[in-house]
Amino acid sequence: MTNTIDGFTFGNPLEPSDIIALAHHHKKQLDEAIFHQEIHLGHYCLEQRKRVHDYTQTLDPAAKAEFYRYYDGELKRIAVIDEEHPDDAEGGLSVFTIFIVLAVIAAILYFGVVQNVVS
């Protein structure tokens, strides 16, 4: 049995390297689609998943589970490795920075408003 998804041919038994290559191809396609305004990413991703789903319906349950284990596992792995958006990039402000900003605001209010009202 030989089937093709997006130009990738899968034989029987399934080769993990082929499944991983398909996951990387789909991730690359999604990354490129981000820059095209005419493409709705939700629909695009659903179309990819639909093609994968249609293919896996032809597999026996054990092969289907193996396919998804490699495919989903690789997509999760490469989604975590994103050098452009590291995990700590959205950590927010530190407590120290907030206190510095509040101290500067307090100094401005004191010297700009309170001192003029008192004198």
Side-chain angles (χ1 to χ4, degrees):
M1 173 177 72
T2 301
N3 286 315
T4 303
I5 306 172
D6 294 342
F8 289 84
T9 303
F10 299 96
N12 194 9
L14 295 171
E15 290 293 326
S17 60
D18 294 337
I19 299 168
I20 290 170
L22 177 67
H24 280 273
H25 177 70
H26 282 173
K27 171 79 164 76
K28 181 181 175 192
Q29 283 183 325
L30 285 175
D31 289 344
E32 291 171 358
I34 289 172
F35 300 106
H36 299 288
Q37 292 181 346
E38 66 275 1
I39 296 174
H40 187 276
L41 289 179
H43 294 158
Y44 193 74
C45 185
L46 286 173
E47 289 170 6
Q48 281 182 340
R49 294 300 283 196
K50 175 72 170 125
R51 289 191 301 271
V52 169
H53 172 75
D54 290 344
Y55 167 70
T56 58
Q57 295 307 304
T58 64
L59 301 174
D60 62 84
K64 181 178 180 178
E66 178 185 4
F67 181 93
Y68 276 120
R69 183 170 57 91
Y70 285 112
Y71 183 78
D72 291 339
E74 186 64 16
L75 285 177
K76 288 176 186 175
R77 190 189 71 74
I78 60 179
V80 171
I81 303 172
D82 187 3
E83 289 112 20
E84 294 178 16
H85 304 96
D87 292 337
D88 60 346
E90 297 185 24
L93 294 174
S94 69
V95 175
F96 178 74
T97 306
I98 293 172
F99 282 126
I100 295 293
V101 170
L102 289 175
V104 169
I105 292 171
I108 291 170
L109 286 175
Y110 176 75
F111 290 114
V113 178
V114 175
Q115 208 172 32
N116 287 336
V117 171
V118 172
S119 57

